[in-house]
Structure formats: C-alpha cells, structure tokens
Amino acid sequence: MSSTANEPNRYEQPLPAEQELLSERRLHWWQGRRLLRGRFRPLLAAGLAGALLGAGGMAWQTQAGPFAPDEVCWGALSHDDLTPTFRTPEDVNAAEAPVLHGGHSMDGPTGSCQLTNSDGDEWALTARVHRLDDRAGDDGKWADEFLSARLTPLGGGLLGMASDNRAWLAIPDGCLGRPSDLDGPTVVDIALGSWITDMEPRTKERDGMARMVVKLVNKVSADLGCTGTIADPVEHLPKAARYTRTEKPNALCGIKGLTLGRKHKPDHYPVITDGDGPVRTCDRDITGSRPEQRLMTVEDPRLAAIFTRMTLNEGDRVRSAAGYGGLGPNLGVFRARCQAGATVFLVQANEAGMSADLRTLFPRYAEAEAARLGCGPLNLKLPPPAGSR
C-alpha cells in the first residue's frame, strides 16, 4: 500500500520519549566514536604497530573494546572465539595489519594482529601470517616455541599443532601451491603471552587455540581467493601431552633401546608429542621458551625445509651416504630422505655440561628414528670430539 500526499510519512512521525532519549544517546556515542577515530585511534594504532612490526609503511586498523565490527583479526574471530582465552572478551582491544600478498610482498602473504585487554601486553595474543624459512635466521626460535612437545598435532592431514598458549597451521597447498624444497610453508600462528612454561598443559585452552587458528586460516584463505574450508579439529584431538613419569633408562623418550649408558638417565621426566603429526618431539624441563633437552624428528618435508641452513652450517660435519648434517657443542642435526621425503633428526642440549650426553644420544637417536621410519641405517660418522684433533 502506498501513502497519499495528506498521509503523514511514517518515517517522519515523532519518536516516543524513550526512543528519543535513546536516539540522543546514540548520537552522542557516534560523535564520540567519530572523535576517537579522528584524533586518538591513529596514535594507538601507531604504538601497537611498532610493537608488532617495528618501523614500516604498513597500514594499520585499530579497534577499541568493545570492538566493532563483531569480528577481529581480519574478520575471523568473534567474542565467543575469544572466551576460552580472555576473561572479558568484550573488553579486548585489537590492532591489526592487513594480510598483504602479490605485489605487496615477495615472501608470500604477511600480516599481523594483536589482541590485548585489561591484563596488559604481557598476556597479549598475537596472530601472524608469514612464510617459514631459515633465511632470516629466526626459525630456530620459532621451532623452540611452536614445535614444542606441549603442542598437539591437529591431525586429519593438517600441517599444524596447538597447545594452551601456542598454535600454528599451514595454509593448504591447494591455496598457495606446495613450497619448494628450500622454502617452508606459509602459516598462521598465534601466541598467547611471552613464554612457554613447564606447567601441565590445559586442554580447554588448547582446544580454544586450535579453533582460533583454524578460523584464522579459513578467513585468510578465503580472502586470498581460495575455496574450501577446514573443519573444526577439536573433536579428534588426543589428550594434551603431559610429563611421562614411567620412562625407562633403556627406552628414553619412549624409544626402545635408546639409552645414555648403564645406570645413566636424565634428571627430568620428558614431555612427548601425543598423536601423529608433522613432528615428534621429546622435551625435558621446559622453562621459558627452550627445553633443557630436546629430541625431535621433523617428518613432514615441508617443515623440514626450515632446517636446511642449520643442517648445512651447524658445527662440524657429520658424514653419511644417507644425508648430511652437523654436530656442535649444544646441537646435533641430520637431514635424510625417508619414504615421505626430507626428514630432519635433531638433538639439542641447552644446559651447560651436556655435550657428552649430546654426543652419545645424537647418533643413537637418529638411527632409532630412521629405523622407525624405514630409512635406516644412516651409519653416521661423527667428527672427533673438541680438543682431540
């Protein structure tokens, strides 16, 4: 039905008193929001941009809590998604740099997002989109944190893992193409807080991190023009890894026959990766971001690529017809070709006085893992001990 010329327009009728008051309040809110955007928000954005990416010409968008629109981090995460991580998700402040690709970035998609609340920056959640490679020399630190035994593989063929304060997931090969043997995958990773501690992992928080990283990858992939959606992986995750207090001296890290010698065993119980995934890691005494000792097998060739520089340059040469690697005072690393492709075996000791244990464990561990994967024997020939030449 249409109105006549003498019929009052329904959109021009006076508002009831309650609605008029509400309308006035909204007007004041909108004006304040406009002022915030015009004067103060660029200052806040600049400060948070410096914290995430340092100096640079990146365009930033900042949203003060309660954030609007309802989704943050490139439109991927809602209030409900943040509930397992933040006590008051409605108070979260978001600062994000858009995901750039193509002509804007020569190293694949890049972008960052930081979420903070009244707890302060110490408990900030930072999400990043970036390609893993070892050219910048910082992927050793990334591996310390994101390949820790505290992280659970997401399973289902996904290249990713999650714990209660770290998670990462590769953007599917079908979206960006499979990386070369020298390039790692492009991942979305999220970090909560500054450190990985030795406390027992919390399953509820881990599940929340897993869901978040999947939603981030789905949104970034869609924005890149890719089709397909990764399903929620939480239902199929195993229990979060915990300290193994039943370790035997002749089966270190649960590997039968692996030993340091007669009546000799490590001082701390291990945490061992639970579930099938891209890596199998055994960590002891996880304090800060680095364990006292780490034994790790990188089984996924895409992830093994980030250790190329390390296997070529670390320590003195380890010789074998099966591959190449090196042995230094605190790290032994070897790269071989197994049935799935390039595989890296790594033994790391971050406590003083462990060089002898490292020299004993490294070849035994690499041979045991190569046998498990069907690519042994390696017949490693170690360099002479330091000071014996």
Side-chain angles (χ1 to χ4, degrees):
M1 179 183 297
S2 60
S3 60
T4 65
N6 296 326
E7 182 181 356
N9 191 317
R10 54 177 174 158
Y11 296 109
E12 296 178 357
Q13 294 178 11
L15 294 172
E18 294 85 0
Q19 294 186 23
E20 184 175 2
L21 179 60
L22 179 60
S23 177
E24 183 176 356
R25 287 177 179 173
R26 287 176 176 170
L27 177 61
H28 290 316
W29 172 84
W30 180 85
Q31 290 172 336
R33 179 182 172 93
R34 186 177 182 185
L35 286 173
L36 180 61
R37 283 184 174 178
R39 299 179 181 178
F40 300 110
R41 285 179 61 173
L43 298 177
L44 178 60
L48 289 174
L52 284 174
L53 296 178
M58 186 73 72
W60 279 83
Q61 297 176 348
T62 305
Q63 298 167 344
F67 51 76
D70 291 338
E71 291 79 25
V72 291
C73 290
W74 316 299
L77 303 178
S78 67
H79 283 125
D80 291 340
D81 297 322
L82 302 182
T83 299
T85 304
F86 293 95
R87 290 196 298 269
T88 55
E90 65 276 7
D91 293 334
V92 165
N93 299 317
E96 57 191 64
V99 178
L100 300 181
H101 190 35
H104 298 288
S105 174
M106 299 180 63
D107 294 322
T110 59
S112 295
C113 173
Q114 187 178 68
L115 305 178
T116 58
N117 64 6
S118 56
D119 290 335
D121 291 344
E122 181 181 359
W123 296 108
L125 185 144
T126 302
R128 299 182 300 167
V129 182
H130 61 117
R131 177 183 292 168
L132 297 178
D133 62 60
D134 63 359
R135 287 173 292 174
D138 61 353
D139 283 304
K141 182 178 182 298
W142 185 90
D144 284 342
E145 298 187 12
F146 289 93
L147 300 184
S148 167
R150 297 181 81 251
L151 278 79
T152 304
L154 297 181
L158 299 177
L159 181 57
M161 308 176 77
S163 74
D164 48 34
N165 55 16
R166 295 291 186 274
W168 65 276
L169 177 60
I171 294 177
D173 292 346
C175 182
L176 296 176
R178 190 175 180 90
S180 71
D181 291 342
L182 299 178
D183 290 321
T186 297
V187 303
V188 175
D189 62 40
I190 51 178
L192 176 65
S194 301
W195 303 107
I196 292 179
T197 67
D198 63 351
M199 63 192 298
E200 295 283 356
R202 300 178 297 273
T203 300
K204 180 180 178 181
E205 288 79 358
R206 179 207 62 177
D207 293 352
M209 294 287 280
R211 287 193 172 101
M212 272 195 285
V213 78
V214 166
K215 289 194 172 187
L216 288 167
V217 166
N218 282 336
K219 185 60 169 64
V220 170
S221 298
D223 290 347
L224 293 173
C226 306
T227 59
T229 301
I230 299 173
D232 185 338
V234 170
E235 182 179 347
H236 305 291
L237 294 181
K239 292 182 178 180
R242 283 170 165 74
Y243 285 100
T244 304
R245 292 177 170 82
T246 57
E247 184 184 38
K248 299 178 180 179
N250 64 344
L252 300 182
C253 293
I255 301 173
K256 187 176 181 180
L258 183 61
T259 176
L260 277 170
R262 184 179 298 178
K263 297 181 180 179
H264 188 185
K265 65 178 183 178
D267 297 330
H268 301 276
Y269 290 113
V271 180
I272 305 171
T273 304
D274 194 355
D276 296 328
V279 300
R280 183 187 187 275
T281 303
C282 174
D283 285 337
R284 297 182 193 276
D285 191 23
I286 306 172
T287 303
S289 62
R290 308 189 77 183
E292 177 187 282
Q293 182 188 84
R294 168 170 290 181
L295 283 69
M296 182 170 69
T297 300
V298 185
E299 300 183 30
D300 192 291
R302 294 166 293 179
L303 205 57
I306 72 174
F307 295 91
T308 300
R309 185 185 300 272
M310 185 183 295
T311 52
L312 289 171
N313 299 330
E314 177 64 32
D316 296 322
R317 292 297 80 200
V318 173
R319 305 193 180 281
S320 169
Y324 55 91
L327 177 64
N330 303 105
L331 179 67
V333 60
F334 189 81
R335 175 182 169 127
R337 182 160 291 276
C338 295
Q339 294 178 357
T343 302
V344 170
F345 308 104
L346 180 146
V347 177
Q348 187 175 9
N350 296 316
E351 188 176 64
M354 296 183 67
S355 294
D357 286 354
L358 173 67
R359 188 176 180 86
T360 299
L361 271 179
F362 171 57
R364 295 178 181 180
Y365 174 75
E367 292 287 3
E369 285 290 87
R372 176 177 69 87
L373 296 175
C375 52
L378 302 178
N379 297 319
L380 303 184
K381 295 179 176 61
L382 303 187
S388 64
R389 287 170 284 188

Coordinates of all heavy atoms in Angstrom, one line a residue, residues 284-336:
R284 N 62.5 -32.0 27.8 CA 62.7 -32.1 29.2 C 62.9 -30.8 29.8 O 63.6 -29.9 29.3 CB 63.9 -33.0 29.5 CG 63.9 -34.4 29.0 CD 65.1 -35.2 29.4 NE 65.1 -36.5 28.7 CZ 64.5 -37.6 29.1 NH1 63.8 -37.6 30.2 NH2 64.6 -38.7 28.4
D285 N 62.2 -30.6 31.0 CA 62.4 -29.4 31.8 C 62.2 -28.1 30.9 O 63.1 -27.3 30.7 CB 63.8 -29.3 32.4 CG 63.9 -28.2 33.5 OD1 62.8 -27.8 34.0 OD2 65.0 -27.8 33.8
I286 N 60.9 -27.9 30.5 CA 60.6 -26.8 29.6 C 60.5 -25.6 30.5 O 59.5 -25.4 31.2 CB 59.3 -27.0 28.9 CG1 59.4 -28.3 28.1 CG2 59.0 -25.9 27.9 CD1 58.0 -28.7 27.5
T287 N 61.5 -24.7 30.5 CA 61.5 -23.5 31.2 C 61.7 -22.3 30.3 O 62.7 -22.3 29.5 CB 62.6 -23.5 32.3 OG1 62.4 -24.6 33.2 CG2 62.6 -22.2 33.1
G288 N 60.8 -21.4 30.3 CA 60.8 -20.3 29.2 C 60.5 -20.9 27.9 O 59.6 -21.8 27.8
S289 N 61.1 -20.5 26.9 CA 60.8 -20.9 25.5 C 61.7 -22.1 25.1 O 61.5 -22.6 24.0 CB 60.9 -19.8 24.5 OG 62.3 -19.3 24.5
R290 N 62.7 -22.5 25.9 CA 63.6 -23.5 25.5 C 63.7 -24.6 26.5 O 63.8 -24.4 27.7 CB 65.0 -23.0 25.2 CG 65.1 -21.8 24.4 CD 66.5 -21.4 24.0 NE 67.1 -22.2 23.0 CZ 68.3 -22.1 22.6 NH1 69.1 -21.2 23.1 NH2 68.8 -22.9 21.6
P291 N 63.6 -25.9 26.1 CA 63.7 -27.0 27.0 C 65.2 -27.2 27.4 O 66.1 -26.8 26.7 CB 63.2 -28.2 26.2 CG 63.5 -27.8 24.8 CD 63.4 -26.3 24.7
E292 N 65.4 -27.9 28.5 CA 66.8 -28.3 28.8 C 67.4 -29.2 27.8 O 68.5 -29.2 27.5 CB 66.8 -29.0 30.2 CG 68.1 -29.5 30.7 CD 68.0 -30.3 32.0 OE1 67.9 -29.6 33.0 OE2 68.1 -31.5 31.9
Q293 N 66.5 -30.1 27.3 CA 67.0 -31.1 26.3 C 65.8 -31.4 25.3 O 64.7 -31.5 25.8 CB 67.4 -32.4 27.0 CG 67.9 -33.5 26.0 CD 68.2 -34.8 26.7 OE1 67.2 -35.6 26.9 NE2 69.4 -35.0 27.2
R294 N 66.1 -31.5 24.1 CA 65.1 -31.8 23.1 C 65.6 -32.9 22.1 O 66.7 -32.8 21.6 CB 64.7 -30.6 22.3 CG 63.9 -30.8 21.0 CD 63.3 -29.6 20.4 NE 62.3 -29.0 21.3 CZ 61.6 -27.9 21.0 NH1 61.8 -27.3 19.9 NH2 60.7 -27.5 21.8
L295 N 64.8 -33.9 21.8 CA 65.0 -34.8 20.8 C 63.8 -34.7 19.8 O 62.7 -34.9 20.3 CB 65.1 -36.3 21.3 CG 66.4 -36.7 22.0 CD1 66.6 -36.0 23.3 CD2 66.4 -38.2 22.3
M296 N 64.0 -34.4 18.6 CA 62.9 -34.1 17.7 C 63.2 -34.7 16.3 O 64.3 -34.6 15.8 CB 62.8 -32.6 17.5 CG 61.6 -32.2 16.6 SD 61.3 -30.4 16.8 CE 62.7 -29.7 15.9
T297 N 62.1 -35.3 15.7 CA 62.1 -35.8 14.4 C 61.1 -35.0 13.6 O 59.9 -35.0 13.9 CB 61.8 -37.3 14.3 OG1 62.8 -38.0 15.1 CG2 61.8 -37.8 12.9
V298 N 61.5 -34.3 12.6 CA 60.7 -33.5 11.7 C 60.3 -34.4 10.5 O 61.1 -34.6 9.6 CB 61.3 -32.2 11.2 CG1 60.4 -31.3 10.4 CG2 61.9 -31.4 12.4
E299 N 59.1 -34.9 10.5 CA 58.7 -35.9 9.5 C 58.1 -35.3 8.2 O 58.1 -36.0 7.2 CB 57.7 -36.9 10.1 CG 58.3 -37.7 11.3 CD 57.3 -38.7 11.8 OE1 56.5 -39.2 11.0 OE2 57.4 -39.0 13.1
D300 N 57.6 -34.1 8.3 CA 56.9 -33.5 7.2 C 58.0 -32.7 6.4 O 58.6 -31.8 6.9 CB 55.8 -32.6 7.6 CG 54.9 -32.1 6.4 OD1 55.4 -31.4 5.6 OD2 53.8 -32.5 6.4
P301 N 58.2 -33.1 5.1 CA 59.2 -32.4 4.3 C 59.0 -30.9 4.1 O 60.0 -30.2 4.0 CB 59.1 -33.1 2.9 CG 58.4 -34.4 3.2 CD 57.5 -34.2 4.3
R302 N 57.8 -30.4 4.2 CA 57.5 -29.0 4.1 C 58.1 -28.3 5.3 O 58.7 -27.2 5.2 CB 56.0 -28.7 3.9 CG 55.4 -29.2 2.6 CD 53.9 -29.2 2.7 NE 53.4 -30.2 3.6 CZ 52.1 -30.4 3.9 NH1 51.2 -29.6 3.3 NH2 51.8 -31.3 4.8
L303 N 58.0 -28.9 6.4 CA 58.5 -28.3 7.7 C 60.0 -28.5 7.8 O 60.8 -27.7 8.3 CB 57.8 -28.9 8.9 CG 57.8 -28.1 10.1 CD1 57.1 -26.7 9.9 CD2 57.0 -28.9 11.2
A304 N 60.5 -29.7 7.2 CA 62.0 -29.9 7.3 C 62.8 -28.9 6.5 O 63.9 -28.6 6.8 CB 62.2 -31.3 6.7
A305 N 62.1 -28.2 5.6 CA 62.8 -27.2 4.8 C 63.4 -26.1 5.6 O 64.4 -25.4 5.2 CB 61.9 -26.7 3.7
I306 N 62.7 -25.7 6.7 CA 63.2 -24.6 7.5 C 64.5 -24.9 8.3 O 65.0 -24.0 8.9 CB 62.1 -24.1 8.5 CG1 61.9 -25.1 9.6 CG2 60.8 -23.8 7.7 CD1 60.9 -24.6 10.7
F307 N 64.9 -26.2 8.2 CA 66.2 -26.5 8.9 C 67.3 -26.7 7.9 O 68.4 -27.2 8.3 CB 66.0 -27.8 9.7 CG 65.0 -27.7 10.8 CD1 63.6 -28.0 10.6 CD2 65.4 -27.3 12.1 CE1 62.7 -27.9 11.7 CE2 64.5 -27.2 13.1 CZ 63.1 -27.5 12.9
T308 N 67.1 -26.3 6.7 CA 68.2 -26.5 5.7 C 69.5 -25.8 6.1 O 70.6 -26.4 6.0 CB 67.7 -26.0 4.3 OG1 66.5 -26.7 3.9 CG2 68.8 -26.2 3.3
R309 N 69.4 -24.5 6.4 CA 70.6 -23.8 6.8 C 71.3 -24.4 8.0 O 72.5 -24.5 8.1 CB 70.3 -22.3 7.0 CG 71.5 -21.5 7.3 CD 71.0 -20.0 7.7 NE 70.3 -19.4 6.6 CZ 70.8 -18.7 5.6 NH1 72.1 -18.6 5.6 NH2 70.1 -18.2 4.7
M310 N 70.5 -24.9 8.9 CA 71.0 -25.5 10.1 C 71.8 -26.8 9.8 O 72.9 -27.0 10.3 CB 69.9 -25.8 11.1 CG 70.4 -26.3 12.5 SD 68.9 -26.7 13.5 CE 68.2 -25.0 13.8
T311 N 71.2 -27.6 9.0 CA 71.9 -28.9 8.7 C 73.1 -28.7 7.8 O 74.1 -29.5 7.9 CB 70.9 -29.8 7.9 OG1 70.4 -29.1 6.8 CG2 69.8 -30.3 8.8
L312 N 73.2 -27.6 7.1 CA 74.4 -27.3 6.3 C 75.5 -26.6 7.1 O 76.7 -26.8 6.8 CB 74.0 -26.4 5.1 CG 73.2 -27.1 4.0 CD1 72.8 -26.0 3.0 CD2 74.0 -28.1 3.3
N313 N 75.2 -25.8 8.1 CA 76.1 -24.9 8.8 C 76.4 -25.3 10.2 O 77.4 -24.7 10.8 CB 75.7 -23.5 8.7 CG 75.5 -23.0 7.2 OD1 76.2 -23.5 6.4 ND2 74.6 -22.1 7.0
E314 N 75.6 -26.1 10.9 CA 75.8 -26.3 12.3 C 77.0 -27.2 12.6 O 77.2 -28.3 12.1 CB 74.5 -27.0 12.9 CG 74.6 -27.4 14.3 CD 74.8 -26.1 15.2 OE1 74.2 -25.1 14.9 OE2 75.4 -26.2 16.3
G315 N 77.9 -26.6 13.5 CA 79.0 -27.4 14.0 C 79.9 -28.0 12.9 O 80.1 -27.5 11.8
D316 N 80.5 -29.2 13.3 CA 81.4 -29.9 12.4 C 80.6 -30.9 11.7 O 79.6 -31.4 12.1 CB 82.5 -30.6 13.2 CG 83.4 -29.6 13.9 OD1 83.7 -28.5 13.3 OD2 83.9 -29.8 15.0
R317 N 81.1 -31.3 10.5 CA 80.3 -32.1 9.6 C 80.1 -33.5 10.1 O 81.1 -34.2 10.6 CB 81.0 -32.2 8.2 CG 81.0 -30.9 7.4 CD 79.6 -30.5 7.0 NE 78.9 -29.8 8.1 CZ 77.6 -29.6 8.2 NH1 76.8 -30.1 7.3 NH2 77.1 -28.9 9.2
V318 N 78.9 -34.0 10.0 CA 78.5 -35.4 10.2 C 78.4 -36.1 8.9 O 77.7 -35.6 8.0 CB 77.2 -35.5 11.0 CG1 76.8 -37.0 11.1 CG2 77.3 -34.9 12.4
R319 N 79.2 -37.2 8.7 CA 79.3 -37.7 7.3 C 78.5 -39.0 7.2 O 78.4 -39.8 8.2 CB 80.8 -38.0 7.0 CG 81.6 -36.8 7.1 CD 83.0 -37.0 6.5 NE 83.8 -35.7 6.6 CZ 83.7 -34.7 5.9 NH1 82.8 -34.6 4.9 NH2 84.4 -33.6 6.1
S320 N 77.8 -39.1 6.1 CA 77.0 -40.3 5.8 C 76.5 -40.3 4.4 O 76.3 -39.2 3.8 CB 75.7 -40.3 6.7 OG 74.8 -41.3 6.3
A321 N 76.4 -41.5 3.8 CA 75.9 -41.6 2.4 C 74.4 -41.3 2.4 O 73.8 -41.1 1.3 CB 76.2 -42.9 1.8
A322 N 73.8 -41.3 3.5 CA 72.3 -41.2 3.6 C 71.8 -39.8 3.7 O 70.6 -39.5 3.6 CB 71.7 -42.0 4.8
G323 N 72.7 -38.8 3.9 CA 72.3 -37.4 4.0 C 73.4 -36.6 4.5 O 74.6 -36.9 4.3
Y324 N 73.1 -35.5 5.2 CA 74.1 -34.6 5.7 C 73.7 -33.9 7.0 O 72.5 -33.8 7.3 CB 74.5 -33.5 4.6 CG 73.3 -32.7 4.1 CD1 72.9 -31.5 4.7 CD2 72.5 -33.2 3.0 CE1 71.8 -30.8 4.2 CE2 71.5 -32.5 2.5 CZ 71.1 -31.3 3.1 OH 70.0 -30.6 2.6
G325 N 74.6 -33.4 7.7 CA 74.3 -32.7 9.0 C 75.5 -32.2 9.7 O 76.6 -32.2 9.1
G326 N 75.3 -31.8 10.9 CA 76.5 -31.3 11.7 C 76.3 -31.6 13.2 O 75.2 -31.8 13.7
L327 N 77.4 -31.5 13.9 CA 77.4 -31.7 15.4 C 78.2 -30.6 16.0 O 79.4 -30.4 15.7 CB 78.0 -33.0 15.7 CG 78.1 -33.4 17.2 CD1 76.7 -33.4 17.9 CD2 78.8 -34.7 17.4
G328 N 77.5 -29.8 16.9 CA 78.2 -28.7 17.7 C 78.1 -29.0 19.1 O 77.7 -30.1 19.6
P329 N 78.6 -28.1 20.0 CA 78.6 -28.4 21.4 C 77.2 -28.6 22.0 O 77.1 -29.3 23.0 CB 79.2 -27.1 22.0 CG 80.0 -26.5 20.9 CD 79.2 -26.8 19.6
N330 N 76.2 -27.9 21.4 CA 74.8 -28.0 22.0 C 73.8 -28.5 21.1 O 72.6 -28.6 21.4 CB 74.4 -26.6 22.5 CG 75.4 -26.0 23.5 OD1 76.1 -25.1 23.1 ND2 75.3 -26.5 24.7
L331 N 74.2 -28.9 19.8 CA 73.2 -29.3 18.9 C 73.7 -30.3 17.9 O 74.8 -30.1 17.3 CB 72.6 -28.1 18.1 CG 71.6 -28.3 17.0 CD1 70.3 -28.8 17.6 CD2 71.3 -27.1 16.2
G332 N 73.0 -31.4 17.6 CA 73.3 -32.3 16.6 C 72.1 -32.4 15.7 O 70.9 -32.5 16.1
V333 N 72.3 -32.3 14.3 CA 71.2 -32.3 13.4 C 71.6 -33.0 12.1 O 72.7 -32.9 11.7 CB 70.8 -30.8 13.1 CG1 71.9 -30.0 12.5 CG2 69.5 -30.8 12.2
F334 N 70.7 -33.8 11.6 CA 71.0 -34.5 10.4 C 69.7 -34.6 9.5 O 68.6 -34.8 10.0 CB 71.4 -36.0 10.7 CG 71.9 -36.7 9.5 CD1 73.3 -36.6 9.1 CD2 71.1 -37.6 8.9 CE1 73.7 -37.3 8.0 CE2 71.6 -38.3 7.8 CZ 72.9 -38.2 7.3
R335 N 69.9 -34.4 8.2 CA 68.8 -34.5 7.2 C 69.0 -35.7 6.3 O 70.1 -35.9 5.7 CB 68.8 -33.2 6.4 CG 67.8 -33.2 5.3 CD 67.8 -31.9 4.5 NE 67.1 -32.0 3.3 CZ 66.2 -31.1 2.9 NH1 65.9 -30.1 3.7 NH2 65.5 -31.2 1.8
A336 N 68.0 -36.5 6.2 CA 68.0 -37.7 5.4 C 66.7 -37.7 4.6 O 65.8 -36.9 4.8 CB 68.1 -39.0 6.3

